[in-house]
Each structure stands twice: as C-alpha cells, then as structure tokens.
Amino acid sequence: MKLKVGVIGCGGIATGRHIPAYINNPNTDLVAVYDSSVEKGEKIEEEYGVKAYKNLSEMLMHPGLEAVSVCTPEMTHRDIVIEALKSGKHVLCEKPMALDSKQAEEMLKVAKKTKRILMISYNQRIYEPHWKAKELLKQDIIGKPIAFRSFLSHGGPEIPYMERTGRSDFFDKNGGNGGVLLSVGCHRIDLIPWMFETQITEIMTVLDKKKSNGIPIDNEDTAMLLLKCQNGLSGMLYTSWCVYGCNDRETHIFGTEGVMKLFEDPWSIAVYKKNGEKIFYDLKKWAARGSEGATEIINRFISCVLEKKTPFVTPEEGVQCMKVLDAARRSAKTGTWEKEY
C-alpha cells in the first residue's frame, strides 16, 4: 500500500525537488497539490495527473491523504504547517522552519499534540561532503577541531523574481522573502551543530542592507557572522546573494593536526595534514546525480513516516536553528555578541 502524499506550493522548490521525488519513490503516490496560484496548480495537474485544489482546506481533506510537503514562502509556514498537522497529516516543511523561534515553537507544540511527524527540509545534511566530513571528524583525522569558516552564497533570486513577476519589490518587507540570512544562512546554522555535534551558543552579526549602488533595502542580501560553540569551537559564516558567476559553498575546518576543506574541488574533501600529507576524497559520483542529493531528504521523510521513526531533522532542531537566527538578528541591531536564547 503506497503512502498518499500531497504538495502545498507549486513553485521551483516543489517542481524541481519534492514533486519529482514523490513521483519517483516506489513507496508514494502523489495524489494532490495546492497553490495560491490556480494556474501553477493546474499545470501540475496536467503534467502529472494529480488533483489540483483551489482551496487548501479542501486539499487536506483529499481521501486517504497522509503526508504533505510545505513548499511555500517562509512567511506562510507556521499557519500552513499547523493547519496540516491539525488535519492529521505528517508534514515535511521546507527551510527555514518559520520566520522566528516563537512561530517555530508553536509548530512544535502542535506536532506534539497531534502526534504527527514534523520534519524540516535541511538537505545540506544529505550532501556527501558534509556526511564524509562528519565521519572524518569522528575519526580525528585533523585532530581536535579548533575553528572553521563556512560560505554559502550565490547570485540570488532577485533577477529571476523580477523576470518572473515583473515586480522590483523582492527586497521589500512585503516582497515575500526573509533576507539571505533566513533563506540561505539557515542551512549553515543547521549544518554546523549537526556536523560538529555541538551547539552554537553566542553570535555576532553584520548584515548588509544596500545594493551595490548604495540604495538601502529592507531585507539583507549579505550576512557575516562570528560564532561560538559549546565545546570551545569558534568560526565564521558568510552568506550572500551577491556572489556572481558561481556558487560558493566551501567550508574549511582547522584542527590541531591539519585542515579539512569541503568543496574546494567540486564535490570533494581535501585533508591537509601538518606533516605535509594530502588526502583527497573524490565524491564526484554524487555531483553526477544532479539534484538527487537534495531530493534524498524527501526520501528520508517518507521512510520516517512509513517506519514511524524519529524525523531525520527534528522540529526541536528546527526550533534551535530559529533561536540562533533570532540571536543573529538581535546582534545585527545591538552590535554586540548575543546568546542563542
């Protein structure tokens, strides 16, 4: 018996990852979609033969529907996830979990009350260089980690947004985005505690809220952070929508016995030992699989539902990530170190 699933929000993240993942998974049957844009929903209905709904509540009542992906803008996550949970559905929520930790805690509370699975789609944990780095750190290949620097940046969605909508309000408060720190930096705020098996405790943040011509914008397109962790580890994070011509996703980890560089060469890890030895891990076979690494997070969600397992990314971890992001925003306003709570 296949798991009947639905997708809420039919934008790029849904059409590029969630919908193909459900279609291709032998254990699922994609039966329903909903988008506030009727045209988007009808396009999916025509292409895949699933039922497209014009009303979210009606979609959640689709016969036999058991689980949904929420792929809508972050400003809508809380209300949609809570409605889905209360309707008895298991939920995979796209990152970030919410706009702030207060919203995230509300979602966690409902998940516990309804006893439904709520998983957050932090797919960076799936990427092989990150898995391999976590494994190598446990093997002390570079000794004790001392510090790190991590980057996650690209050219940003502003121009595609303008081309798609004809509007220039992407960075306005009502434009639908939460800024690069919330939309992109959240990936690293989740990844760092997971990879190092520690917690971020303090944070210092600088946000850049102006275009290259100096015109101010409401939501930041560049964020620079200093981080302190429970185990004495410290590091820096740079995330931006102003890196043009390529994606920047390298992470460097500095240990007592050497340095580990992730994505220095596309989809690889290089370890530089202090004795001069270099160890190279070629992980290009994953890169050749395209977006499969990203869609694997959906497969993990399916397994959790079918096998009644703890979510691969728990809502508690999602809340913790939001607490750090809240502290980052406070730091940007105060100009001082802020604790994550």
Side-chain angles (χ1 to χ4, degrees), residues 134-176:
K134 184 179 175 76
E135 177 184 297
L136 293 173
L137 287 170
K138 287 184 176 181
Q139 297 172 7
D140 296 324
I141 196 168
I142 58 169
K144 180 182 178 181
I146 301 170
F148 65 87
R149 63 171 178 253
S150 190
F151 302 83
L152 190 58
S153 305
H154 52 73
E158 180 186 14
I159 293 176
Y161 173 86
M162 292 175 64
E163 292 175 345
R164 186 176 69 253
T165 66
R167 294 158 51 187
S168 60
D169 63 345
F170 182 80
F171 284 107
D172 295 348
K173 288 183 178 178
N174 296 321

Side-chain angles (χ1 to χ4, degrees), residues 137 144-150 188-204 225-237 251-254 320 324 337-341:
L137 287 170
K144 180 182 178 181
I146 301 170
F148 65 87
R149 63 171 178 253
S150 190
R188 288 295 190 258
I189 297 299
D190 171 76
L191 185 71
I192 289 164
W194 175 82
M195 184 183 294
F196 292 103
E197 297 185 353
T198 186
Q199 289 295 333
I200 297 169
T201 56
E202 294 185 68
I203 193 164
M204 169 75 82
L225 300 84
L226 296 177
L227 307 168
K228 294 180 183 179
C229 301
Q230 272 180 349
N231 59 359
L233 183 71
S234 61
M236 64 163 290
L237 167 62
T251 294
H252 295 177
I253 305 168
F254 307 95
Q320 184 64 26
V324 176
W337 284 91
E338 291 284 339
K339 296 187 181 296
E340 55 80 16
Y341 50 83

Side-chain angles (χ1 to χ4, degrees), residues 262-279:
L262 286 61
F263 288 102
E264 182 182 43
D265 182 63
W267 226 264
S268 69
I269 291 179
V271 174
Y272 299 85
K273 305 282 281 187
K274 69 178 182 181
N275 63 6
E277 180 186 7
K278 178 182 178 180
I279 308 171

Side-chain angles (χ1 to χ4, degrees), residues 17-220:
R17 295 181 178 178
H18 290 254
I19 290 174
Y22 287 130
I23 292 291
N24 293 324
N25 191 296
N27 297 312
T28 56
D29 185 11
L30 181 66
V31 296
V33 297
Y34 164 78
D35 194 283
S36 57
S37 166
V38 175
E39 183 180 355
K40 285 183 180 180
E42 290 178 342
K43 184 176 181 180
I44 300 301
E45 183 177 56
E46 181 179 348
E47 184 172 357
Y48 294 104
V50 303
K51 172 67 175 177
Y53 285 87
K54 299 177 182 179
N55 179 281
L56 175 59
S57 298
E58 290 180 5
M59 181 263 201
L60 292 171
M61 294 298 290
H62 184 95
L65 184 66
E66 298 176 76
V68 296
S69 279
V70 175
C71 303
T72 56
E74 50 258 39
M75 64 192 336
T76 67
H77 284 183
R78 175 189 58 183
D79 293 346
I80 291 176
V81 168
I82 287 176
E83 182 175 354
L85 289 168
K86 287 183 175 179
S87 74
K89 308 303 179 290
H90 301 290
V91 178
L92 174 61
C93 178
E94 259 300 334
K95 60 79 192 169
M97 185 174 180
L99 290 178
D100 53 43
S101 61
K102 181 180 179 182
Q103 289 189 354
E105 286 173 334
E106 290 176 30
M107 296 157 70
L108 171 60
K109 184 177 180 180
V110 175
K112 287 182 175 179
K113 185 175 182 180
T114 58
K115 297 182 180 180
R116 300 291 91 183
I117 288 175
L118 172 57
M119 180 169 142
I120 314 305
S121 184
Y122 281 118
N123 58 39
Q124 296 281 312
R125 297 187 184 192
I126 296 294
Y127 293 163
E128 186 69 7
H130 297 149
W131 269 105
K132 190 66 177 178
K134 184 179 175 76
E135 177 184 297
L136 293 173
L137 287 170
K138 287 184 176 181
Q139 297 172 7
D140 296 324
I141 196 168
I142 58 169
K144 180 182 178 181
I146 301 170
F148 65 87
R149 63 171 178 253
S150 190
F151 302 83
L152 190 58
S153 305
H154 52 73
E158 180 186 14
I159 293 176
Y161 173 86
M162 292 175 64
E163 292 175 345
R164 186 176 69 253
T165 66
R167 294 158 51 187
S168 60
D169 63 345
F170 182 80
F171 284 107
D172 295 348
K173 288 183 178 178
N174 296 321
N177 87 91
V180 73
L181 179 59
L182 187 65
S183 295
V184 181
C186 66
H187 271 304
R188 288 295 190 258
I189 297 299
D190 171 76
L191 185 71
I192 289 164
W194 175 82
M195 184 183 294
F196 292 103
E197 297 185 353
T198 186
Q199 289 295 333
I200 297 169
T201 56
E202 294 185 68
I203 193 164
M204 169 75 82
T205 311
V206 174
L207 302 180
D208 191 351
K209 294 191 174 186
K210 62 179 182 298
K211 295 186 178 181
S212 58
N213 58 10
I215 296 177
I217 54 179
D218 289 328
N219 291 318
E220 79 284 346

